[in-house]
Amino acid sequence: MFMGYRITPMEPSNQTSASEFILLGLSEKPEQETFLFSLFLCMYLVTVVGNLLIILAISSDSHLHTPMYFFLANLSLVDFCLATNTVPKMLVNIQTGSKSISYPCCLTQMYFFHFFGIMDSVLIAVMAYDRFVAICHPLHYATIVSLHVCGLLVGGPMVFSCFVSLIHTLLMARLVFCSNNELPHYFCDLTPLLRLSCTDTSVNQIFVLIVAGMVIAAPFICILASYARIIAAIVKVPSAGGRKKAFSTCSSHLSVVALFYGTTIGVYLCPSSVRTAVKEKASAVMYTAVTPMLNPFIYSLRNRDLNGALRKLVNKKIVSSS
């Protein structure tokens, strides 16, 4: 170990690998760091409070113990964890002035980023399937989306996400990082890390494309197919009130779909020639900070049942504290 680098086993003696990375953050201008710290601290606090309130409201109100709200509570938990995996480290780096992150911590952060990111993507697709069954097959909804099926639709993606994230991490751990250990990002994301490696990353890149197809493109296509069927079913509803009610249950979810997939597709499925570090950081901010912050507002804004549960929860806390 010397000068922040360690000799990697099975490599030639003149080949070194970084024992830490320097996270350059969102901006390299020191005068902007105070603003960024205040902005992201506020966003993170709103994310924590909003998503935890959604989870508590759903768990405390028996009327919300349905598949739709079960999936929403899991999505809120995943959003909270996704933001917590990246934003606090960035805030600490800005506050302390230290931008370094150790090699093991970097791989750990990357693992959990992919774990929660994959869970987010699959849960959004699962919620689209839930709305499809509720609108297109309402008489069989309780049978199709049973408690057992709900457990499989959450537990299955969790196991899959754990497996895929582990492979990403193991493939990254085999790479060697040479003289340049400056990462032009605010967390250890996969694509910027691959650019820093001085060894062959073709296996990693192929696996990235395969996983992106499975966890971004495939769920997105399933969502589009579900909503095509949903729209066709809504159009057949005779009354305007019925059509409005059916569509209102989907509008919030469509907003989340646009936010999440609009950014992740741009980062992981667009050609590298059209991507820049600035675009990647902007997209990462959208799906690691902005989307988790907005989701509680999007889902509760037009949902009377959830609004009622939130009011009850807040009133109960006020009464118990007084």
Side-chain angles (χ1 to χ4, degrees):
M1 187 86 62
F2 62 97
M3 296 295 291
Y5 292 86
R6 58 179 172 81
I7 300 295
T8 302
M10 306 302 293
E11 296 291 336
S13 59
N14 62 347
Q15 193 85 299
T16 60
S17 185
S19 63
E20 66 176 17
F21 295 99
I22 305 300
L23 297 173
L24 298 181
L26 291 173
S27 175
E28 296 182 31
K29 298 178 180 178
E31 63 271 17
Q32 294 180 349
E33 290 192 342
T34 301
F35 169 74
L36 289 173
F37 179 84
S38 302
L39 176 64
F40 277 87
L41 177 61
C42 291
M43 289 172 64
Y44 180 66
L45 291 176
V46 171
T47 300
V48 170
V49 173
N51 283 288
L52 291 183
L53 277 176
I54 293 287
I55 296 169
L56 289 172
I58 292 173
S59 60
S60 63
D61 193 329
S62 59
H63 294 97
L64 301 184
H65 293 176
T66 62
M68 181 177 76
Y69 292 108
F70 172 72
F71 297 135
L72 177 56
N74 278 277
L75 181 67
S76 293
L77 178 61
V78 168
D79 280 341
F80 163 74
C81 293
L82 183 62
T84 301
N85 183 53
T86 55
V87 179
K89 175 60 178 173
M90 180 184 68
L91 295 176
V92 170
N93 285 357
I94 294 175
Q95 186 67 20
T96 61
S98 172
K99 297 185 176 183
S100 66
I101 182 171
S102 69
Y103 182 79
C105 287
C106 187
L107 290 186
T108 302
Q109 188 182 54
M110 190 193 76
Y111 171 86
F112 284 109
F113 167 71
H114 284 282
F115 177 80
F116 294 120
I118 293 170
M119 282 295 298
D120 221 340
S121 178
V122 178
L123 278 174
I124 292 172
V126 166
M127 292 174 76
Y129 171 73
D130 174 73
R131 291 300 83 207
F132 158 72
V133 176
I135 292 172
C136 299
H137 304 283
L139 298 179
H140 303 286
Y141 179 75
T143 305
I144 297 174
V145 192
S146 63
L147 183 64
H148 176 67
V149 171
C150 287
L152 289 176
L153 289 174
V154 173
M158 192 176 294
V159 174
F160 173 75
S161 179
C162 181
F163 177 71
V164 170
S165 302
L166 181 60
I167 293 179
H168 267 312
T169 307
L170 293 175
L171 287 176
M172 184 63 69
R174 70 186 245 288
L175 300 180
V176 175
F177 299 89
C178 299
S179 57
N180 183 16
N181 66 340
E182 292 186 343
L183 199 65
H185 218 306
Y186 64 96
F187 69 95
C188 289
D189 197 3
L190 181 66
T191 308
L193 277 171
L194 290 178
R195 292 199 194 102
L196 290 185
S197 176
C198 55
T199 48
D200 182 25
T201 61
S202 57
V203 175
N204 300 70
Q205 292 169 350
I206 291 170
F207 189 66
V208 168
L209 289 175
I210 292 172
V211 172
M214 288 191 296
V215 304
I216 299 176
F220 186 63
I221 291 169
C222 291
I223 290 169
L224 293 180
S226 296
Y227 276 103
R229 296 285 301 275
I230 287 171
I231 291 169
I234 290 175
V235 169
K236 295 178 183 178
V237 175
S239 66
R243 288 194 296 272
K244 184 178 179 181
K245 183 179 179 182
F247 186 74
S248 67
T249 63
C250 303
S251 57
S252 299
H253 185 255
L254 281 171
S255 302
V256 173
V257 169
L259 272 173
F260 184 83
Y261 287 100
T263 53
T264 53
I265 288 174
V267 172
Y268 293 104
L269 291 178
C270 282
S272 57
S273 58
V274 301
R275 296 199 306 257
T276 63
V278 174
K279 287 181 180 178
E280 284 182 353
K281 285 191 281 189
S283 298
V285 168
M286 286 299 295
Y287 61 77
T288 61
V290 176
T291 303
M293 178 186 68
L294 292 180
N295 279 356
F297 296 100
I298 292 171
Y299 279 110
S300 62
L301 196 60
R302 300 181 61 184
N303 191 311
R304 293 181 182 178
D305 293 335
L306 190 54
N307 275 327
L310 286 169
R311 280 195 295 269
K312 280 189 214 175
L313 180 66
V314 172
N315 291 335
K316 188 186 296 183
K317 294 294 181 185
I318 292 173
V319 170
S320 62
S321 61
S322 61

